[in-house]
Amino acid sequence: MTGPSTATSHIFTVDVEEYFQVRALEHDVPRERWESLPSRVQASVDELLALLAQHGARGTFFTLGWVAERHPEVVRAIAEGGHELGSHGWSHRPVYALSPDEFRREVRSSKAILEDVAGHPVIGFRAPNFSITPGSEWAFDVLCEEGYQYDSSLFPIRRPGYGYPSCPPLPHIISRPSGTLCEFPLATALWCGMRLPAAGGAYFRHLPYALTRRAFRQHSDNGIPAVFYLHPWELDPGQPRLGTSPVTRMRHYGGLRRTRRRLQRLLAEFHFTSAASRLGRRVVASRSGPRRETPVSVFPE
């Protein structure tokens, strides 16, 4: 078998959260129960790190401050594996449910703890459930003011609950009164004139693998990086089954047993790196603390 094509380096991302912190389960697992539930994030992240190492891939791990505070060993393992740490907020509350001040506290505190534990700068953010939606663009101003350099929260699709249909389906610059951010939107595929979600997560587990491959081949053909995402719990078919509705149960637990096999296939077919690498910045740990490099590249290759 030949190795993955390196003509275009795509972006591998992970939303680091526990299996019980999923938005679809919020009515069944209230936040006050989180502390009482068994954690499984470390084993899942370790498995994911091993898979990436096996394929020589690097990625960006958008990590909850809540997780980093309770499991700093997970953050250190990610950093020691040569991967980038990004912020996923602190409490997994959607952006559109927060006030600007609440959002600022989330992105400031999560950035601080990740930088303290990992020893390298955190320059990227992903909103829980891609929840920067039309009407909440003020969040970009807060991110600029708090020192973030890129975002990866926009999903250029039309869908209840999230989605930003007018978002360009390729990396681009967002200009705001407070500054500029690079946006890395989630991958989509064109099929019969329609733009379909093909970036990972439940779409990766439930829809045919051919759709994901189509999206990444279309991006590769144009020399444009595609963004893939996954949650650690999606590699954990043995996770506890929580009481919920039949629809949520199907959506959350369906396809878990095929995730690893499909992920092995994707990593073998395509080359992946971190968002910071595609941005043209190296984020590394040093004995004197975090440092950052100057931009060295642009997005299309």
Side-chain angles (χ1 to χ4, degrees):
M1 178 182 295
T2 60
S5 169
T6 58
T8 298
S9 292
H10 299 291
I11 299 170
F12 193 96
T13 69
V14 183
D15 294 352
V16 182
E17 60 198 54
E18 292 277 9
Y19 64 96
F20 50 77
Q21 294 175 314
V22 179
R23 174 78 166 162
L25 295 173
E26 65 177 348
H27 297 299
D28 305 296
V29 190
R31 294 174 187 275
E32 51 268 25
R33 282 189 59 197
W34 285 4
E35 296 286 358
S36 67
L37 294 170
S39 172
R40 297 176 69 89
V41 69
Q42 181 171 2
S44 298
V45 168
D46 286 347
E47 181 178 3
L48 189 49
L49 291 174
L51 281 172
L52 292 173
Q54 178 185 340
H55 291 275
R58 293 289 183 267
T60 298
F61 287 68
F62 294 105
T63 304
L64 284 179
W66 190 96
V67 171
E69 182 180 57
R70 290 157 178 79
H71 302 285
E73 69 282 357
V74 172
V75 175
R76 284 191 287 267
I78 293 167
E80 290 168 2
H83 303 281
E84 180 194 6
L85 268 298
S87 169
H88 198 38
W90 187 276
S91 63
H92 211 252
R93 294 173 64 194
V95 173
Y96 50 71
L98 300 170
S99 70
D101 285 344
E102 288 172 328
F103 180 65
R104 187 182 301 277
R105 287 194 292 271
E106 288 255 340
V107 300
R108 180 180 292 176
S109 58
S110 59
K111 188 176 193 293
I113 192 169
L114 290 168
E115 290 183 338
D116 182 60
V117 175
H120 70 58
V122 168
I123 62 173
F125 174 76
R126 170 167 294 151
N129 298 99
F130 316 113
S131 54
I132 298 181
T133 53
S136 55
E137 293 84 359
W138 52 263
F140 296 129
D141 292 298
V142 175
L143 291 173
C144 288
E145 292 163 359
E146 293 299 320
Y148 289 86
Q149 298 177 33
Y150 75 85
D151 174 71
S152 184
S153 302
L154 302 189
F155 215 143
I157 60 172
R158 191 179 303 278
R159 181 193 182 281
Y162 63 78
Y164 207 107
S166 64
C167 172
L170 73 167
H172 58 280
I173 299 298
I174 295 175
S175 296
R176 297 289 301 175
S178 295
T180 60
L181 284 172
C182 176
E183 177 64 36
F184 289 106
L186 283 298
T188 56
L190 278 177
W191 182 77
C192 295
M194 297 184 293
R195 189 163 296 283
L196 303 178
Y203 305 110
F204 189 61
R205 290 183 283 115
H206 289 287
L207 300 180
Y209 176 80
L211 180 64
T212 300
R213 184 201 291 124
R214 182 185 183 93
F216 282 81
R217 284 183 174 175
Q218 287 176 348
H219 281 73
S220 293
D221 289 346
N222 291 294
I224 296 172
V227 178
F228 179 82
Y229 78 97
L230 200 72
H231 304 88
W233 54 261
E234 291 182 283
L235 284 172
D236 182 16
Q239 64 189 265
R241 271 26 180 192
L242 302 170
T244 186
S245 69
V247 171
T248 298
R249 187 162 55 247
M250 180 276 295
R251 178 184 171 191
H252 182 64
Y253 301 115
L256 291 178
R257 296 190 182 280
R258 69 172 72 100
T259 303
R260 181 186 176 92
R261 182 178 69 254
R262 288 188 171 187
L263 185 56
Q264 288 269 31
R265 188 174 177 183
L266 186 74
L267 291 170
E269 290 189 34
F270 300 96
H271 183 262
F272 287 94
T273 189
S274 67
S277 294
R278 288 313 316 250
L279 187 63
R281 284 171 164 77
R282 291 188 301 153
V283 285
V284 297
S286 69
R287 294 188 181 276
S288 59
R291 65 183 177 88
R292 57 187 77 194
E293 302 287 342
T294 56
V296 296
S297 69
V298 293
F299 310 129
E301 292 171 318

